[in-house]
Amino acid sequence: MNAATTSTLNPLERVVLPSHLKRLILTGFMGAGKSTVGRLLASRTGWTFLDLDTHLERRAGATIPQLFARLGETRFRRLESTALASALASTNTILALGGGTPEELTNRLLIEQTPGTFTIFLDAPFPTLFDRCMLQDIARPVLQDPAAAELRFAHRHPLYTRLAQFVVDTADLTPEVTVKAILAALNQPGNSHS
Ligand code: S3P
């Protein structure tokens, strides 16, 4: 889809989302732009932005790197699942997942079985995502080994795709154009019914 030309939405207008929707979920690998796009979507719709990593950190009273170091990844993933279940209770919310959240079957089922949820996959090739992450000042334990991170990306890619009702290739898009593409898709009759 050519996101730049398919939307006629005015970027200053408040967007009203279809009434059956209760939350939008943004998924994708680290560096996909989930938080940036999520904040922009929240400001366009008037909905609340919730970042699952931040939600988890607040609940646990520790940062993501501290949790990885203290608990190891398996226990971190358990905390992430309980944080997800709690986050899914919020309505009128734009929820940005962690890059690894869809790896757990429990998490995918939770998302798929929560009514009023529309999931969007922000896609891009691994080298683009990796370069974007290198420019960000965010500590990400699973990026310490780039080769292992690329394997994770390959494993997760089909999971992100299957979970989402809409996929945007963000490689050549600004966050603003990505938001435009998402809002246009949500306002296509029938498109946001899962
Ligand atoms: C992770 C992604 C991070 C965070 C944690 C693990 C992953 O979230 O949950 O560092 O396994 O991909 P972002 O995708 O928001 O960076």
Side-chain angles (χ1 to χ4, degrees), residues 28-31 34-35 51 53 64 68 73 76-77 80 97-101 138-142 152 156 160:
F29 203 66
M30 294 164 280
K34 302 180 292 288
S35 302
D51 183 274
D53 288 340
I64 302 281
F68 263 82
E73 183 164 352
F76 166 82
R77 295 295 170 196
E80 188 181 38
L97 301 182
T101 316
I138 302 173
R140 289 171 161 125
V142 303
R152 281 184 195 258
R156 290 175 183 176
Y160 297 137

Side-chain angles (χ1 to χ4, degrees), residues 10 29 31 48 64-65 74 85 87 98 144-145 149 152 167 180 182 185 192:
N10 176 344
F29 203 66
T48 305
I64 302 281
T74 305
Q144 275 162 9
D145 177 347
R152 281 184 195 258
V167 180
K180 217 171 161 186
I182 293 168
S192 59

Side-chain angles (χ1 to χ4, degrees), residues 150-183:
E150 188 160 11
L151 288 178
R152 281 184 195 258
F153 174 78
H155 171 65
R156 290 175 183 176
H157 196 275
L159 303 178
Y160 297 137
T161 306
R162 281 206 296 275
L163 187 62
Q165 279 88 53
F166 184 61
V167 180
V168 193
D169 182 351
T170 69
D172 299 316
L173 302 186
T174 62
E176 288 77 12
V177 176
T178 301
V179 165
K180 217 171 161 186
I182 293 168
L183 293 176

Side-chain angles (χ1 to χ4, degrees), residues 50 52 55-56 59 78-88:
L50 183 59
L52 186 62
H55 186 57
L56 196 169
R59 286 164 58 92
R78 272 187 228 137
L79 285 185
E80 188 181 38
S81 291
T82 55
L84 173 66
S86 138
L88 286 172

Side-chain angles (χ1 to χ4, degrees), residues 20 61 72 91 106 140:
H20 66 283
T91 56
T106 321
R140 289 171 161 125

Side-chain angles (χ1 to χ4, degrees), residues 114-138:
T114 304
T117 304
F118 186 86
T119 303
I120 300 140
F121 169 25
L122 302 183
D123 195 11
F126 180 78
T128 306
L129 296 164
F130 191 80
D131 289 351
R132 285 186 195 159
C133 288
M134 291 301 104
L135 295 172
Q136 295 171 344
D137 188 22
I138 302 173

Side-chain angles (χ1 to χ4, degrees), residues 6-72:
T6 49
S7 170
T8 53
L9 294 166
N10 176 344
L12 300 174
E13 234 170 63
R14 177 61 62 89
V15 174
V16 178
L17 294 174
S19 58
H20 66 283
L21 289 181
K22 304 219 173 325
R23 66 195 65 69
L24 301 182
I25 290 189
L26 295 168
T27 191
F29 203 66
M30 294 164 280
K34 302 180 292 288
S35 302
T36 308
V37 168
R39 282 197 185 87
L40 284 171
L41 272 172
S43 78
R44 288 300 311 279
T45 56
W47 283 15
T48 305
F49 174 68
L50 183 59
D51 183 274
L52 186 62
D53 288 340
T54 310
H55 186 57
L56 196 169
E57 287 178 330
R58 283 204 199 106
R59 286 164 58 92
T63 66
I64 302 281
Q66 284 168 345
L67 293 169
F68 263 82
R70 287 178 198 164
L71 307 176

